[in-house]
Amino acid sequence: MSAIEASGRPAGGAEWLSARAAQKLLTTVSVVVPMAGLVLFFGYPLLMIAWQSLLAKDGTVGLANYAAIATTPGLITATVNSLVVSAATMLVSVVLGFVIAYALERSALRTKNLMRAALVLPLLAPSLVQALGLLFILGRNGLVHKWTGWDIDIYGFWGLLIANVFYALPQAVMILQAALRNADSRYYDAAEVMGASGWRQFVDITLPNTKFGLLSAAFVVFVITITDFGNAIVIGGNYRVLATEIYSQVSGQMDFGMGSVVGMLLLLPSLVSIYIERVASQRQFGGSSENLIPVSPKRAPLRDALVGGVCLLVAAAIVAIVAVVVFASFVKLWPYNLSFTLKNYNVDTSDGYASLWTTLKISLIAAAFGVVSLFMLTFGVRRLGGGMAKAVYLVAVLPVGVPGLVLGLSYIFAFNMPNSPLYILYGSAILIAICNFYHYHTQGFLTMMTGMRAVPAALEEAVSCFGGNLRCVLRDAVLPFMAPTVLSVFFFLFMRSMVTLSAVIFLVTPKVNVASVAVMRLDQAGFVSQAAAFSTWIMLIVGGALLAMRLILGRVSRRLGYLGQS
């Protein structure tokens, strides 16, 4: 019996047909509008960059640009370097990440909150802040050289490796924590009864149960590293990678054809890695039991001392890198005059703090537009069902496989055409906001979809039974349950838009600049203390947003809990 029939309405009457038509119309609009946005601002630009890669300098169409790869030693070197540094970062990050995740989930350490707080710090700033902090510590004008006289060459592979590890480590830890939580303590209880030692339990139970989590973390780190631009441009030096090669081809040599080819090269390993990561993630969490008994941390002095020591060293390094950037923002002349001053916060180069205010506006637009679009899409997918819903879902998660540099470059070809009606968007803050949103579309969609699935279908049915229309269903059934998810996605899009660099590096103009690019240009111009001051402002804003999110989510959760009890 349907909800409308249960409410006593005539099943074939005009009122029922009107409600049915309204539901179909709402579902159609909820799916078609966001999908049109995906086609226009994701699919169309990618087609344009693929087409551009086929255009030779003489205007002919073919594979000449791809054939030129073999005769371009610098491009081959950049490809090899990218694969090498990404593989090294992947290995180090997964090993360190597993130790830290194990310490947070399975040990009895008392310093877990310190480690969690340290892991948040790299997420508060653009990726280049890690590289900037390393230069302040280990560079030619760094503190180590000033205090000891040691001449450390941090530029190149080793500096890039260290910076990338600290940038990717938080995400590896989060994935591995989730994998470790997906274990049943009954296996360990049975192993103890059979006399298995702690090491045997680790080898025979823990590692096999987390193998797909390890694989997932490995490929996430690989993608983050091979597509990152910030660390490479600041500390890479002469160690060329694909991300800096794209920037060089487009901004330096104005060779858009070869830049597009490099972009396509960067796209291939990312897509393969994302596919493997998705399969690993489904294998890891798809077979988990709802009745599993979580593993409780047990005290083991030697083990806790070892993993605790690693955690403290990593936490100290992360805090030191961020702290030295903040410290450098308050010194008169780094590293020669370390006396206190506030003059670095009076940024008098270029457009001053205009780029920071522009970034705030862009981030708010991306978050607001993104939340509305994702809510509509997930609301529509929930009601579609069947093969159509699966097809929409597949398209919605595709952006995760496209690096920010590639997406940003594709926007040049798609929107920088004076004869196109879309040209009105080029060079505007709105286009940068749209690019930021679609760069993080997949993460927002998956989060929103998880929240939408948690809305009880019976509650929607009950609202309908009592005569509620679609507006009432949304207001009384969907939105109360979705409020925490909507807030989380809003703040996620806002914070990522504040710190992203790769996706917007090609879209900024003299009139519309963003904070992360301003930091990069200040550093390249030699104004390192002002770059540190700019970075500190970004970290304060993003940290404030994170704190606000937690406070608001706490109040919303308590409110929902109160409503549930009443």
Side-chain angles (χ1 to χ4, degrees):
M1 181 181 293
S2 71
I4 297 178
E5 289 173 333
S7 64
R9 295 175 188 170
E15 185 180 353
W16 182 86
L17 290 175
S18 177
R20 182 83 173 180
Q23 289 184 16
K24 284 187 176 181
L25 177 62
L26 180 61
T27 300
T28 302
V29 171
S30 296
V31 173
V32 169
V33 173
M35 290 300 290
L38 264 171
V39 170
L40 182 60
F41 295 108
F42 175 71
Y44 170 61
L46 287 186
L47 288 176
M48 291 300 295
I49 193 174
W51 171 253
Q52 189 70 33
S53 70
L54 299 174
L55 291 179
K57 291 182 179 180
D58 59 3
T60 60
V61 179
L63 300 177
N65 290 329
Y66 289 92
I69 295 175
T71 58
T72 309
L75 188 54
I76 297 175
T77 301
T79 303
V80 174
N81 288 347
S82 291
L83 294 174
V84 170
V85 76
S86 298
T89 304
M90 178 178 68
L91 178 62
V92 176
S93 297
V94 169
V95 172
L96 271 180
F98 185 84
V99 173
I100 295 170
Y102 192 87
L104 294 176
E105 293 297 322
R106 299 292 177 84
S107 75
L109 290 177
R110 298 180 180 179
T111 56
K112 293 182 181 181
N113 289 334
L114 174 63
M115 190 67 237
R116 293 189 183 102
L119 288 172
V120 170
L121 293 178
L123 303 177
L124 302 182
S127 62
L128 56 83
V129 169
Q130 278 72 233
L132 196 61
L134 283 175
L135 291 180
F136 285 144
I137 297 174
L138 299 174
R140 299 186 185 99
N141 292 322
L143 293 177
V144 171
H145 178 76
K146 179 179 174 62
W147 292 338
T148 66
W150 297 344
D151 191 8
I152 302 174
D153 186 9
I154 194 62
Y155 289 95
F157 172 81
W158 291 107
L160 188 55
L161 172 63
I162 297 171
N164 283 339
V165 166
F166 286 123
Y167 178 57
L169 189 59
Q171 299 193 51
V173 172
M174 285 188 288
I175 293 171
L176 292 169
Q177 277 188 271
L180 286 168
R181 290 192 199 109
N182 193 45
D184 197 323
S185 65
R186 287 172 291 191
Y187 291 108
Y188 294 90
D189 294 338
E192 287 188 4
V193 170
M194 296 174 67
S197 64
W199 175 251
R200 293 308 312 173
Q201 292 179 37
F202 178 79
V203 172
D204 295 337
I205 302 175
T206 303
L207 285 180
N209 283 345
T210 58
K211 61 183 178 182
F212 292 114
L214 288 166
L215 186 61
S216 179
F219 283 99
V220 166
V221 170
F222 183 86
V223 171
I224 291 172
T225 303
I226 202 169
T227 61
D228 179 65
F229 174 74
N231 285 328
I233 197 66
V234 172
I235 207 170
N238 294 325
Y239 192 83
R240 305 292 296 178
V241 293
L242 285 174
T244 53
E245 192 64 26
I246 292 179
Y247 186 71
S248 174
Q249 292 288 343
V250 175
S251 298
Q253 303 177 36
M254 301 301 291
D255 191 341
F256 292 98
M258 285 304 296
S260 301
V261 169
V262 178
M264 300 304 289
L265 286 177
L266 194 60
L267 185 62
L268 291 176
S270 299
L271 289 174
V272 173
S273 298
I274 289 298
Y275 172 76
I276 296 175
E277 186 276 330
R278 294 295 299 168
V279 172
S281 180
Q282 291 172 3
R283 293 282 186 89
Q284 176 68 41
F285 305 111
S288 61
S289 172
E290 296 180 356
N291 299 318
L292 67 82
I293 301 175
V295 179
S296 300
K298 295 182 180 180
R299 189 171 183 81
L302 179 59
R303 180 206 63 191
D304 290 355
L306 291 175
V307 297
V310 173
C311 287
L312 285 176
L313 285 175
V314 173
I318 294 174
V319 172
I321 288 173
V322 175
V324 76
V325 173
V326 177
F327 172 72
S329 70
F330 291 104
V331 303
K332 286 186 177 180
L333 182 62
W334 182 272
Y336 308 105
N337 185 351
L338 302 183
S339 55
F340 178 82
T341 183
L342 291 174
K343 71 173 185 178
N344 297 316
Y345 285 85
N346 182 24
V347 179
D348 53 6
T349 60
S350 186
D351 56 354
Y353 281 115
S355 60
L356 187 61
W357 301 119
T358 300
T359 307
L360 275 171
K361 179 175 69 174
I362 288 171
S363 300
L364 289 172
I365 294 173
F369 172 72
V371 162
V372 173
S373 177
L374 291 172
F375 183 87
M376 289 176 62
L377 185 58
T378 53
F379 183 80
V381 169
R382 177 181 168 91
R383 280 153 181 77
L384 273 180
M388 183 62 70
K390 292 180 180 179
V392 172
Y393 186 96
L394 176 63
V395 174
V397 300
L398 285 178
V400 74
V402 179
L405 272 174
V406 177
L407 186 62
L409 180 60
S410 70
Y411 271 43
I412 295 179
F413 305 132
F415 301 105
N416 188 19
M417 296 187 296
N419 296 328
S420 169
L422 298 174
Y423 180 71
I424 191 173
L425 293 173
Y426 190 74
S428 68
I430 292 177
L431 186 63
I432 296 177
I434 292 172
C435 182
N436 282 338
F437 164 56
Y438 285 103
H439 181 36
Y440 296 106
H441 183 277
T442 301
Q443 297 92 321
F445 172 78
L446 292 175
T447 304
M448 194 77 79
M449 199 71 224
T450 301
M452 189 65 71
R453 286 170 177 161
V455 178
L459 183 59
E460 296 182 52
E461 194 81 3
V463 174
S464 298
C465 284
F466 283 102
N469 54 22
L470 283 174
R471 181 175 62 85
C472 294
V473 170
L474 282 170
R475 183 192 65 196
D476 299 332
V478 178
L479 287 177
F481 275 87
M482 285 292 294
T485 303
V486 168
L487 287 170
S488 298
V489 173
F490 177 89
F491 279 103
F492 167 77
L493 293 173
F494 174 83
M495 290 186 288
R496 298 317 299 166
S497 295
M498 283 294 304
V499 302
T500 189
L501 174 63
S502 60
V504 301
I505 187 65
F506 293 124
L507 300 180
V508 296
T509 66
K511 293 183 179 180
V512 181
N513 195 15
V514 297
S516 56
V517 176
V519 173
M520 183 192 77
R521 289 177 176 170
L522 285 169
D523 173 66
Q524 290 178 329
F527 299 104
V528 292
S529 293
Q530 289 191 343
F534 229 104
S535 300
T536 302
W537 272 120
I538 296 173
M539 288 187 285
L540 285 173
I541 292 172
V542 178
L546 180 61
L547 180 61
M549 180 186 72
R550 291 185 174 179
L551 291 175
I552 295 173
L553 284 176
R555 294 186 64 179
V556 170
S557 298
R558 287 193 296 272
R559 177 64 176 169
L560 290 176
Y562 171 77
L563 290 174
Q565 292 176 358
S566 61

